[in-house]
Amino acid sequence: MDKKKYKFTIQYDGLSFHGWQRQKSKRTIQGDIERALKTLFPRENISLIASGRTDSGVHSLGQIAHAELPGSMASDKLCKAINGNLKRDVHVLSVKEVDKNFHARYSAKSREYEYHLAKYFSPLTRYYVAQLKWKIDLDKMNAICPLLLGQHDFTSFCKTTAEVENKICTIFNLNWVEKEEKYIFNIRANRFLQHMVRYIVGTMIEVGRDRYTLQDFINILNNEKIDKAVVKAPAKGLFLKKIY
């Protein structure tokens, strides 16, 4: 039977996962969905390709992935069948047949993330926001945003053992907003490096609480050697919001 290419839109609670990418001995989103697909198509060697990897503990509101599968089932029935073989912390929102040229990673023009920062501790949201332990000046944090727009070398805001050599990314828009009990950071770029958003958020917070100056942040962005280091925010506050 001829195979067809399908696009998946996926939501997941990253709390119990060790990131997106399959691992032999640890639970991952890719691993769970591939096992569900293998149950439906036991004779197929299936590889689910995502728009990008999310780290351990990071959540997703709309991850995009694709796979080539036998075209024996309608898209809506395929979606229901996959979800029937998944646990409740990962859910395929939709399955759509796409052109053979579609690629979840290379067809993506930009990615958007949100980071949720709680003003106060709440047992109801403790797994989905990072708790703020200090008073911060949101105006100082938003003053950083224009400096990050456009193309920059984000070597200093990337995991030191990252496999990619090209650390240049283009940020299209970003801002902090205050919403009742929390602050929300939104950022959209053509690509993101490993831990990049968490390093940006954590270091912005250092400026907001007056431990770092605006010039300290600029020096880090310019990859200058100073006595200030990037600070990584917790994974649980980070959501992959949308793939464009």
Side-chain angles (χ1 to χ4, degrees), residues 6 21 35 37 52-53 76 130 165 183:
Y6 294 92
Q21 190 175 17
R35 276 190 292 274
L37 290 168
R53 306 171 189 174
D76 57 340
E165 293 184 10
Y183 302 106

Side-chain angles (χ1 to χ4, degrees), residues 12 17 19-23 27-37 46-50 53 90:
Y12 48 86
F17 292 99
W20 167 269
Q21 190 175 17
R22 77 173 78 86
Q23 298 182 42
R27 189 176 176 220
T28 68
I29 300 97
Q30 183 185 25
D32 271 26
I33 300 176
E34 286 182 348
R35 276 190 292 274
L37 290 168
I46 297 168
S47 181
L48 185 68
I49 308 299
R53 306 171 189 174
V90 56

Side-chain angles (χ1 to χ4, degrees), residues 70-136:
S72 57
M73 201 181 301
S75 296
D76 57 340
K77 291 183 178 179
L78 176 58
C79 186
K80 290 179 182 178
I82 296 168
N83 286 323
N85 287 280
L86 291 173
K87 294 183 178 180
R88 303 290 285 179
D89 51 1
V90 56
H91 186 76
V92 178
L93 296 175
S94 68
V95 176
K96 294 183 179 179
E97 185 181 343
V98 290
D99 185 87
K100 288 285 187 180
N101 293 324
F102 176 83
H103 193 286
R105 180 181 177 187
Y106 300 121
S107 297
K109 299 209 171 21
S110 63
R111 289 97 170 148
E112 185 175 2
Y113 277 89
E114 271 188 1
Y115 195 91
H116 292 227
L117 190 61
K119 296 179 184 178
Y120 315 103
F121 173 78
S122 168
L124 301 178
T125 61
R126 67 191 186 279
Y127 296 129
Y128 308 104
V129 295
Q131 184 188 355
L132 187 60
K133 300 176 182 178
W134 318 276
K135 289 184 178 180
I136 59 170

Side-chain angles (χ1 to χ4, degrees), residues 24 44 81 186 210 219:
K24 287 183 179 180
E44 299 295 327
N186 184 274
D210 285 329
N219 291 341

